[in-house]
Amino acid sequence: MGSGAGLGRVFTQHMEQGDRRCCNYKLFDCSSNRKDDVMAIFSIKFNFISGKGPYVDLYGRCTTGGGFTIHGNEDDYFYECIDAGNYPNLRRLSFKKEELYTVIGTA
């Protein structure tokens, strides 16, 4: 899983089911201004044990000071972002990165 945290910054991690990772917003690799309210775009790739996938270029978004969690199984999955203000949002992963920029109103 990787997060483009503005200005081309990228935090890349391989994660197995149940794994947890942190990219501290106080680091420039994780937040373009080292604040907890920067919108980050996450690029997700799944490789399921059953051989389904890999599904590539699925995207989600969350603030750098928030938590990003993927729920579900290989047939039905979604993500939850608990943003820096502790407000939860459940969303489907998007196949188009541009849709996420439209939603948050940036180009």
Side-chain angles (χ1 to χ4, degrees):
M1 174 168 67
S3 157
L7 301 178
R9 288 166 173 76
V10 175
F11 172 72
T12 302
Q13 290 288 312
H14 171 83
M15 298 176 66
E16 299 290 337
Q17 184 175 359
D19 282 357
R20 303 179 89 159
R21 297 288 191 276
C22 179
C23 189
N24 190 317
Y25 67 85
K26 293 179 181 178
L27 302 175
F28 279 120
D29 282 348
C30 301
S31 176
S32 59
N33 64 6
R34 298 190 333 182
K35 294 185 179 180
D36 67 357
D37 61 351
V38 174
M39 192 58 63
I41 303 296
F42 292 81
S43 172
I44 312 297
K45 296 180 182 180
F46 291 111
N47 287 300
F48 295 108
I49 294 172
S50 69
K52 246 183 178 177
Y55 297 107
V56 296
D57 299 331
L58 293 170
Y59 299 96
R61 66 186 176 97
C62 195
T63 56
T64 52
F68 185 91
T69 307
I70 298 172
H71 300 278
N73 57 45
E74 64 188 67
D75 296 315
D76 182 31
Y77 45 85
F78 59 95
Y79 74 92
E80 176 180 29
C81 167
I82 299 178
D83 68 20
N86 207 28
Y87 180 77
N89 296 287
L90 295 176
R91 295 192 171 97
R92 292 274 169 212
L93 293 165
S94 172
F95 286 98
K96 295 184 179 178
K97 191 175 188 179
E98 295 76 24
E99 290 174 1
L100 297 172
Y101 289 110
T102 302
V103 171
I104 61 175
T106 62

